């Protein structure tokens, strides 16, 4: 099935601006889905935009209720001393200390610990976010290199993303970008996203040939995709 990557759009529903991703494909009906990226609208290839918006408006109440429920369930993480943070699929303890604004990773001992060595007046949330991003970039570079070796492709530039609508992207010109919040997830799910983006170095589309490349890199990609959708709904907000 031919599927477009998706177009980011906005619409006013019940007085509120709602962002959504419009995806056109060889489907026969219009459909709505809400996941970690927000509202996704799937439509047939030749449906006119006014008809798409009319369809969205006809489901305005359902959309509003689902988005409200989703927002209410996203936990807001407070980096207090003793708090537990999901990282690489495990639980890490956060400890606050004094220092020169650096993050110290204690991976041995009774439990893995992230120490935020703050200077006076330092921002614990900002320091934690910076530390997680540094850790994420190092890990992602390692995983991209591994999958590129499997394909016999040179490793592209790797950078972090904070995009609202996708976990990763790939460009032959600028390289691969991966969302830093993937660092909270188990490594197998991170590897699925990495394999997906590395496969785009071969096929810059979502054709059967593309999915054949993904399968060669990550045979269990269908199950991983479903697990990613479920796990991402509970990621902490930083």
């Amino acid at each position: 099935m031919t599927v477009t990557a998706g177009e980011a759009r906005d619409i006013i529903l019940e007085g509120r601006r709602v962002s959504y991703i419009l995806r056109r494909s060889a489907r026969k009906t219009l459909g709505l889905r809400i996941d970690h990226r927000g509202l996704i609208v799937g439509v047939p290839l030749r449906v006119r935009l006014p008809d798409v918006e009319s369809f969205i408006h006809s489901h305005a109440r359902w959309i509003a209720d689902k988005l409200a429920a989703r927002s209410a369930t996203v936990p807001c993480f407070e980096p207090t001393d003793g708090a537990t943070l999901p990282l690489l699929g495990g639980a890490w303890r956060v400890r606050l200390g004094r220092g020169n604004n650096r993050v110290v990773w204690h991976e041995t001992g009774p439990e893995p610990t992230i120490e935020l060595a703050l200077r006076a007046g330092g921002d614990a949330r900002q320091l934690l976010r910076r530390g997680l991003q540094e850790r994420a970039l190092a890990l992602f570079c390692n995983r991209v290199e591994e999958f590129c070796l499997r394909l016999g492709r040179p490793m592209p530039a790797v950078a972090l993303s904070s995009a609202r609508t996708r976990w990763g992207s790939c460009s032959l010109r600028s390289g691969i970008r991966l969302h830093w919040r993937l660092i909270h997830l188990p490594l197998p799910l991170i590897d699925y996203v990495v394999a997906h983006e590395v496969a785009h170095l071969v096929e810059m589309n979502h054709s059967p040939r593309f999915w054949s490349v993904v399968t060669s890199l990550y045979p269990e990609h269908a199950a991983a995709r479903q697990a990613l959708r479920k796990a991402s709904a509970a990621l902490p907000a930083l």
Side-chain angles (χ1 to χ4, degrees), residues 142-203:
N142 175 275
R143 303 314 298 152
V144 169
E145 182 178 27
E146 168 66 23
F147 283 107
C148 283
L149 283 172
R150 296 186 196 178
L151 280 183
R153 295 271 172 160
M155 180 176 170
V158 179
L160 298 181
S161 165
S162 297
R164 291 192 307 122
T165 60
R166 59 177 63 183
W167 286 118
S169 63
C170 178
S171 166
L172 295 179
R173 182 173 60 181
S174 58
I176 289 175
R177 297 174 64 86
L178 297 163
H179 203 300
W180 69 269
R181 294 181 73 217
L182 286 167
I183 194 66
H184 295 296
L185 297 174
L187 185 59
L189 297 188
I190 296 174
D191 274 354
Y192 160 66
V193 178
V194 173
H196 184 111
E197 301 308 329
V198 168
H200 279 308
L201 297 173
V202 180
E203 294 288 340

Side-chain angles (χ1 to χ4, degrees), residues 43-140:
V43 303
L45 292 171
R46 302 189 185 279
V47 171
R48 299 181 310 126
L49 184 59
D51 294 329
V52 173
E53 294 185 339
S54 177
F55 173 72
I56 296 174
H57 278 292
S58 71
H59 294 81
R61 175 42 45 193
W62 180 88
I63 293 169
D65 290 345
K66 290 294 184 180
L67 288 176
R70 175 180 173 273
S71 297
T73 59
V74 175
C76 183
F77 182 78
E78 294 295 334
T80 56
D81 190 64
T84 301
L85 179 70
L87 179 65
L88 292 173
W92 285 61
R93 189 72 64 186
V94 175
R95 292 298 180 191
L96 303 184
R98 292 291 186 180
N100 58 348
N101 262 24
R102 65 191 184 99
V103 176
V104 183
W105 300 83
H106 301 283
E107 303 188 45
T108 59
E111 60 182 356
T113 302
I114 306 174
E115 180 185 352
L116 305 180
L118 289 157
R119 65 169 60 100
D123 186 324
R125 183 185 299 276
Q126 185 180 58
L127 179 60
L128 176 60
R129 187 182 176 109
R130 189 186 78 196
L132 292 177
Q133 290 177 344
E134 291 174 352
R135 180 90 173 200
L137 183 58
L139 174 64
F140 298 165

Side-chain angles (χ1 to χ4, degrees), residues 211-225:
W211 288 109
S212 177
V213 177
V214 175
T215 299
S216 72
L217 293 172
Y218 199 105
E220 303 300 323
H221 61 83
R225 187 177 184 183

